[in-house]
Amino acid sequence: MTEQPMVRFENVSKRYGALTVLDELNLEIARGEKVSVIGPSGSGKTTVLRMLMTLETINDGVIWVEGEPLTHMKKNGKLVPADLAHIRRIRAKIGMVFQSFNLFPHMTAMANCIEAPMTVLGMKRTEAEARAAELLDLVGLSQKKDHYPSQLSGGQQQRVAIARALAMRPKIMLFDEVTSALDPELVGEVLQVIRQIGREHDLTMLMVTHQMGFAKEFSDRVCFFYQGKICEQGPPGELFGAPKNERTRQFLHAVLEAG
Amino acid sequence: MGIGTLVAMLAAALAVIGVLATQQAYSLFLPGLLQGAVLTIEIAILGSLLAVIMGVLAALARLYGPAPLRWLATVYVEIFRGTSALVQLFWLFFVLPQFGVTLNAFLVAVVALGLNVGAYGSEVVRGAILSVARGQWEACTALNMSRAQMLRRVILPQAVVAMIPPWGNLFIELLKSTSLVSLITLADLAFKAQQMNQNTFKTIPIFTLVLLMYLVMSLVLTIGMRLLERRASAGLARGKAA
Amino acid sequence: MIWDWSFTLEILPVLAHAAIVSVEATLIGFVLAATLGLVLAVVRIAVPWTGWTISVLVELIRSTPLLIQIFFIYFVFPKFGLVLDAFTAGVLAIGIHYAAYCSEVYRAGFDNIHRGQWEASIALNLSAWTTFRDIIIPQAIPPIVPALGNYLVALFKETPLLSAIAVMELMQTAKIIGSDTFRYTEPITLVGLFFLAMSLVSAALIRALERLLNRRTMR
């Protein structure tokens, strides 16, 4: 028996009125796999992450996490839309880092990292703080644990956001254009942290990125989205080295030209 | 809340009144209450008129008047915003006669409510005038207009659009405040309700009808102000395009 | 003589005592308004289908006079077996009336919270209750404190309406003094001055609070 994929999108569609953002997406991600999603804006790539995080509802299809449906649940052998308790149980396996950080501005870096472990996982404060201290150390911010987000640079805020997501011990980490809102000189420190947790943690990672160099060096697979479909996917060497599809070629050409 | 919902609420309120009017337990009170409502509307209209006049005068005095006038306007606004409408009503009704000025109850009602709401209105007018872009003033100066010309021809027409929604709220407040005049013996809607209640103890039909009648008046006023707002801002937009 | 100082001194203690009732009514009414308003605003977000119902309810309450609502609770509720004394009925009416206004203030506060805060809460799997308690409310409330403060002052200035159902607050007491002594000038003027003083002081406090909050958000 082959191992269950960590994540499976099965014929998933997303529409806003007449506009189809994702058209019957089929995508499997293996345990521990690092997948980068690239594509022009409006291609539906961010929507993939947002659906998996249940920030968007889906119109058709099923999303599976470790063999269990996320968006649905089994009732009398049939799949029915999931209730909140089911969604929250499956969602616990997923963490997300946002383009705009979305740190809680009224909480220190430490408080940001212990809020969910204490209220959702029911950890004791001492335990949660010990774990958060470890993670803040991992992202290189143990000195800044009592600072508020507004006292931190964009790169530092994003590293706190990564620590906050990791504190929930997710199996899957989603990164949604996490360096796009950063000044260029701060991009490196964030990518360095992602590289490191990719090495040290047994995490499945799905990231939307504009950093082609990072996607090429870091990921096991790259998916190129175009108009709500996966236009081309493959190992980074192939996709960047010898793209088969004309659209991929045009996109890469345009991006590398600009970069 | 959208204008469609407001119209639907108005239709529903009128429909409920219509249905209740077919019941004898309710229809009995309708003529008397309607009589009271007429007085309520009269006071509301005259009070609103006075409020607008006072609001504009006090705002202009505070913005452009000479020092004594500015000071007077400030005192007026602070006193009428700082004490409550009922206190003002009672003061004019009970205390003013001791200074030799006796107004009849109707006049007291109009003056008290008009001055009260006018004080709040002056803040609205002032805010709207100050919010007109500085470039407009500078353009007027460059055209060598007098201050009165600037205000009348350029500034006020623009400020008026911004004033409509807050004035709408103030008119609603004034309409609701007219119920206070029942406490100085005027036979308005609230007074009639109290009187009928004391005579018949038919509390439920009386107060249900009264609430519905105030609701209808408020909704008509709200919808009217919304339409006015829509027309005025459409006019300004057309002016911008031209 | 138009103003009698010895009479003034005589009635001051009586009015001061009544002022306590007015302040009590204000505080209890406002706690009710602030709490109920918050509940309305939260329910509206947490249970989306209630949105329309709550809008209509708020519009109904704001479209009808407080005085009639006071009468309604005082006279109509007993017909349904709920007999309330005048103070309780009046304070309940004031609380409900201002809850409608406060709920709109809270709503504006919630609307100003960036969508990312809700999304981060979902991504961290926080429950709806925790999200409101720890994330949304602590951010939404401070900016609207001045607006709530203004409603507190407005509510205070409406407590004289309780005199219509004979609650012995300031206005009622002044009226009784007036009808007993045939001197209205001093009691009613004193009541006015009391409200004026309280309003000016509160306005200054609210402005100071606003400055403080502005400084804090600059951090």
Side-chain angles (χ1 to χ4, degrees):
Chain A
M1 192 181 120
T2 54
E3 202 192 352
Q4 287 278 12
M6 197 68 189
V7 177
R8 183 152 73 92
F9 290 86
E10 183 187 344
N11 292 322
V12 174
S13 294
K14 175 70 186 174
R15 290 179 289 272
Y16 294 112
L19 179 73
T20 300
V21 189
L22 274 179
D23 191 8
E24 300 207 349
L25 173 71
N26 283 291
L27 176 65
E28 284 186 11
I29 299 166
R31 184 179 300 277
E33 194 179 13
K34 278 57 174 165
V35 177
S36 290
V37 177
I38 62 170
S41 65
S43 61
K45 54 190 194 308
T46 287
T47 307
V48 176
L49 265 60
R50 293 176 58 82
M51 289 188 317
L52 184 52
M53 194 67 257
T54 68
L55 297 173
E56 306 272 356
T57 55
I58 64 176
N59 297 107
D60 277 315
V62 184
I63 300 175
W64 304 80
V65 174
E66 283 195 305
E68 279 189 284
L70 164 72
T71 49
H72 298 69
M73 55 190 191
K74 289 186 177 131
K75 207 174 195 175
N76 306 329
K78 276 194 295 195
L79 283 180
V80 296
D83 61 22
L84 189 62
H86 176 88
I87 289 178
R88 287 192 71 203
R89 188 169 64 78
I90 308 295
R91 191 161 68 189
K93 300 176 182 182
I94 308 168
M96 182 163 181
V97 182
F98 298 87
Q99 179 177 351
S100 49
F101 327 141
N102 296 348
L103 287 181
F104 303 133
H106 59 303
M107 296 182 183
T108 61
M110 174 58 90
N112 263 281
C113 293
I114 62 171
E115 170 69 23
M118 284 174 62
T119 58
V120 180
L121 304 180
M123 273 191 204
K124 290 208 177 57
R125 177 174 286 274
T126 47
E127 189 189 353
E129 280 182 347
R131 164 94 178 134
E134 254 172 58
L135 288 166
L136 286 171
D137 191 41
L138 175 78
V139 300
L141 288 172
S142 37
Q143 304 296 316
K144 303 279 187 187
K145 68 182 171 62
D146 294 324
H147 285 52
Y148 284 90
S150 57
Q151 299 167 313
L152 300 173
S153 74
Q156 291 170 332
Q157 288 188 55
Q158 195 58 296
R159 286 187 278 152
V160 173
I162 293 172
R164 179 177 75 171
L166 288 175
M168 292 299 282
R169 303 177 189 275
K171 296 181 172 180
I172 305 160
M173 278 286 280
L174 309 177
F175 295 90
D176 184 15
E177 303 194 27
V178 292
T179 57
S180 295
L182 297 178
D183 290 333
E185 74 273 18
L186 303 176
V187 169
E189 63 188 64
V190 172
L191 294 182
Q192 185 52 38
V193 165
I194 297 176
R195 234 178 246 123
Q196 193 182 345
I197 58 175
R199 267 201 312 272
E200 293 175 7
H201 293 252
D202 177 30
L203 279 169
T204 305
M205 294 189 180
L206 183 57
M207 65 199 89
V208 170
T209 184
H210 293 299
Q211 303 288 330
M212 295 305 151
F214 183 72
K216 189 170 174 179
E217 149 224 347
F218 182 73
S219 34
D220 302 314
R221 179 162 43 130
V222 179
C223 297
F224 172 67
F225 271 73
Y226 189 81
Q227 292 187 344
K229 285 175 181 295
I230 297 180
C231 192
E232 183 171 353
Q233 59 177 318
E238 273 175 35
L239 194 124
F240 287 114
K244 297 186 191 71
N245 189 294
E246 178 56 29
R247 292 244 153 72
T248 320
R249 268 200 292 277
Q250 280 171 1
F251 175 74
L252 290 175
H253 186 72
V255 170
L256 296 174
E257 193 85 335
Chain B
M1 184 173 272
I3 203 162
T5 318
L6 291 168
V7 172
M9 277 177 75
L10 177 60
L14 287 171
V16 173
I17 293 178
V19 170
L20 292 179
T22 63
Q23 313 263 317
Q24 220 231 318
Y26 285 81
S27 61
L28 194 61
F29 301 109
L30 262 182
L33 292 179
L34 282 172
Q35 225 175 35
V38 170
L39 184 63
T40 293
I41 292 170
E42 282 172 9
I43 293 172
I45 289 175
L46 291 175
S48 299
L49 219 63
L50 180 61
V52 172
I53 293 169
M54 288 308 291
V56 172
L57 287 182
L60 293 180
R62 288 179 78 183
L63 284 170
Y64 312 114
L69 209 56
R70 210 158 58 217
W71 190 79
L72 194 69
T74 307
V75 169
Y76 155 64
V77 170
E78 290 299 335
I79 286 182
F80 278 85
R81 288 189 344 144
T83 58
S84 72
L86 189 60
V87 177
Q88 292 153 24
L89 209 55
F90 280 178
W91 201 90
L92 292 181
F93 190 68
F94 290 112
V95 181
L96 199 59
Q98 316 237 354
F99 293 84
V101 185
T102 307
L103 306 174
N104 68 34
F106 182 80
L107 214 51
V108 166
V110 170
V111 169
L113 298 181
L115 289 181
N116 179 268
V117 174
Y120 290 92
S122 83
E123 296 287 286
V124 168
V125 175
R126 207 167 78 113
I129 289 176
L130 291 175
S131 73
V132 173
R134 236 180 84 164
Q136 296 291 314
W137 288 100
E138 291 172 354
C140 291
T141 312
L143 292 170
N144 205 17
M145 286 178 163
S146 73
R147 175 165 276 173
Q149 286 171 327
M150 291 179 191
L151 271 173
R152 209 175 58 240
R153 310 284 310 165
V154 180
I155 305 301
L156 283 178
Q158 295 180 56
V160 158
V161 179
M163 283 181 216
I164 293 174
W167 270 111
N169 289 336
L170 288 177
F171 291 153
I172 298 280
E173 290 303 319
L174 195 143
L175 172 65
K176 292 194 292 176
S177 300
T178 58
S179 60
L180 305 188
V181 308
S182 64
L183 304 175
I184 56 166
T185 70
L186 278 173
D188 76 322
L189 185 49
F191 184 90
K192 288 278 186 185
Q194 267 278 55
Q195 193 185 37
M196 289 174 174
N197 185 44
Q198 271 157 19
N199 293 339
T200 66
F201 297 107
K202 300 279 186 229
T203 305
I204 297 176
I206 293 170
F207 282 107
T208 305
L209 280 174
V210 168
L211 279 177
L212 283 167
M213 287 165 81
Y214 275 113
L215 179 63
V216 166
M217 291 189 274
S218 291
L219 285 172
V220 168
L221 186 51
T222 308
I223 292 168
M225 292 304 285
R226 287 287 179 85
L227 292 176
L228 192 65
E229 182 188 340
R230 196 182 275 184
R231 272 194 60 173
S233 51
L236 198 67
R238 201 167 53 238
K240 269 179 190 152
Chain C
M1 196 163 87
I2 282 180
W3 187 273
D4 182 342
W5 282 106
S6 67
F7 179 58
T8 306
L9 287 176
E10 200 178 308
I11 62 173
L12 255 182
V14 185
L15 288 176
H17 192 74
I20 296 174
V21 178
S22 294
V23 170
E24 269 173 8
T26 304
L27 294 180
I28 301 173
F30 187 70
V31 167
L32 194 63
T35 314
L36 194 60
L38 181 61
V39 170
L40 285 176
V42 169
V43 166
R44 191 189 193 113
I45 295 176
V47 194
W49 62 264
T50 59
W52 189 82
T53 319
I54 291 176
S55 290
V56 169
L57 187 71
V58 165
E59 189 69 31
L60 287 178
I61 294 173
R62 298 203 308 179
S63 297
T64 48
L66 175 57
L67 182 63
I68 305 295
Q69 291 167 6
I70 291 174
F71 286 154
F72 195 86
I73 290 185
Y74 190 54
F75 295 123
V76 177
F77 277 25
K79 301 264 170 178
F80 296 99
L82 186 60
V83 182
L84 301 169
D85 64 273
F87 182 84
T88 311
V91 168
L92 187 63
I94 289 181
I96 292 174
H97 191 78
Y98 276 90
Y101 287 92
C102 288
S103 81
E104 294 293 294
V105 173
Y106 288 117
R107 190 156 92 125
F110 290 149
D111 284 350
N112 278 332
I113 302 291
H114 191 263
R115 207 179 55 160
Q117 296 293 307
W118 295 96
E119 296 189 342
S121 304
I122 292 177
L124 290 169
N125 220 1
L126 300 181
S127 68
W129 167 247
T130 311
T131 304
F132 270 110
R133 190 195 58 197
D134 291 358
I135 311 303
I136 304 302
I137 289 179
Q139 294 184 63
I141 300 299
I144 60 167
V145 165
L148 290 177
N150 284 330
Y151 277 125
L152 172 62
V153 177
L155 187 154
F156 174 59
K157 285 186 287 186
E158 299 235 57
T159 54
L161 294 194
L162 297 178
S163 65
I165 52 171
V167 174
M168 289 299 286
E169 48 65 70
L170 263 178
M171 196 70 239
Q172 180 69 3
T173 308
K175 256 172 67 183
I176 289 175
I177 293 173
S179 63
D180 285 353
T181 61
F182 301 104
R183 287 205 67 99
Y184 285 96
T185 311
E186 292 85 357
I188 294 184
T189 308
L190 285 173
V191 171
L193 288 174
F194 176 71
F195 276 101
L196 185 60
M198 292 292 269
S199 298
L200 291 176
V201 170
S202 334
L205 283 177
I206 291 169
R207 269 201 299 276
L209 194 64
E210 230 165 345
R211 272 200 301 277
L212 190 78
L213 289 168
N214 280 341
R215 260 216 309 281
R216 263 198 39 194
T217 47
M218 297 297 242
R219 184 179 61 199

